[in-house]
């Protein structure tokens, strides 16, 4: 339920904003056309070659509810959760390329989800453990978990 609520909020905040242009000099989707000269770093030397200019979406994005829930699941795992947060902090507007740290307030969304999500997950685990121990004690008797020396 919590992921669904944060997913809806994420779509409202970030829909269409997790895009960038392969030509770093272009800042909007309209400008991001044609070709550009790209630097190709090889093992021995650096070369330059002409490449098509593409408007690319990040792997973690919030363009629809399914993608938002998947991105939030990725955040909730804890490993690499800062990458979507940093991308969120770089958002500018719809059809504008990501710009470094242009929306630092977006970090509140990701940090709050991470903290609240982990808090609920820990409460669920602890609640389940306590419930199971209570069931075992009721089935086996109040002294069933004691050794004979206790």
């Amino acid at each position: 339920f919590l992921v669904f609520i944060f997913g809806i909020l994420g779509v409202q905040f970030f829909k269409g904003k997790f895009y960038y242009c392969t030509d770093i000099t272009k800042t909007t989707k309209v400008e991001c056309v044609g070709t550009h000269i790209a630097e190709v770093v090889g093992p021995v030397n650096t070369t330059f070659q002409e490449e098509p200019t593409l408007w690319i979406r990040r792997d973690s994005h919030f363009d629809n509810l399914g993608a938002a829930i998947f991105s939030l699941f990725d955040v909730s795992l804890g490993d690499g959760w800062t990458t979507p947060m940093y991308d969120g902090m770089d958002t500018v507007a719809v059809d504008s390329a990501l710009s470094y740290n242009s929306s630092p307030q977006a970090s509140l969304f990701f940090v709050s989800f991470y903290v609240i999500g982990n808090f609920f997950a820990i409460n669920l685990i602890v609640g389940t453990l306590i419930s199971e121990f209570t069931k075992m004690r009721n089935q086996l008797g109040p002294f069933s978990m004691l050794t004979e020396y206790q």
Side-chain angles (χ1 to χ4, degrees):
F1 181 72
L2 182 71
V3 175
F4 186 74
I5 297 297
F6 271 88
I8 292 172
L9 289 172
V11 169
Q12 291 298 313
F13 293 150
F14 303 115
K15 184 176 183 177
K17 296 182 180 180
F18 275 61
Y19 288 83
Y20 67 96
C21 186
T22 54
D23 183 356
I24 60 172
T25 62
K26 311 295 184 199
T27 59
T28 64
K29 184 178 182 179
V30 175
E31 296 173 345
C32 188
V33 292
T35 60
H36 68 283
I37 304 298
E39 181 179 14
V40 179
V41 179
V44 178
N45 59 1
T46 301
T47 59
F48 295 92
Q49 66 184 28
E50 190 172 356
E51 291 185 352
T53 303
L54 303 172
W55 188 248
I56 298 175
R57 180 177 60 204
R58 294 282 187 191
D59 291 336
S60 292
H61 60 89
F62 292 84
D63 286 351
N64 56 56
L65 187 58
I69 289 173
F70 181 75
S71 296
L72 289 172
F73 177 72
D74 194 25
V75 168
S76 69
L77 292 177
D79 187 33
W81 72 277
T82 55
T83 302
M85 181 185 71
Y86 290 143
D87 287 343
M89 291 171 61
D90 294 344
T91 59
V92 178
V94 176
D95 290 340
S96 293
L98 298 173
S99 176
Y100 180 72
N101 231 6
S102 58
S103 300
Q105 67 275 12
S107 64
L108 295 174
F109 173 80
F110 292 96
V111 171
S112 62
F113 174 75
Y114 186 74
V115 170
I116 292 170
N118 285 336
F119 176 74
F120 279 117
I122 290 171
N123 277 340
L124 283 173
I125 292 169
V126 170
T128 303
L129 286 174
I130 290 173
S131 173
E132 290 300 316
F133 277 118
T134 303
K135 279 185 202 175
M136 283 176 46
R137 188 182 69 202
N138 289 340
Q139 287 176 350
L140 300 173
F143 301 111
S144 62
M145 298 203 186
L146 299 176
T147 64
E148 54 186 68
Y149 298 111
Q150 293 176 326

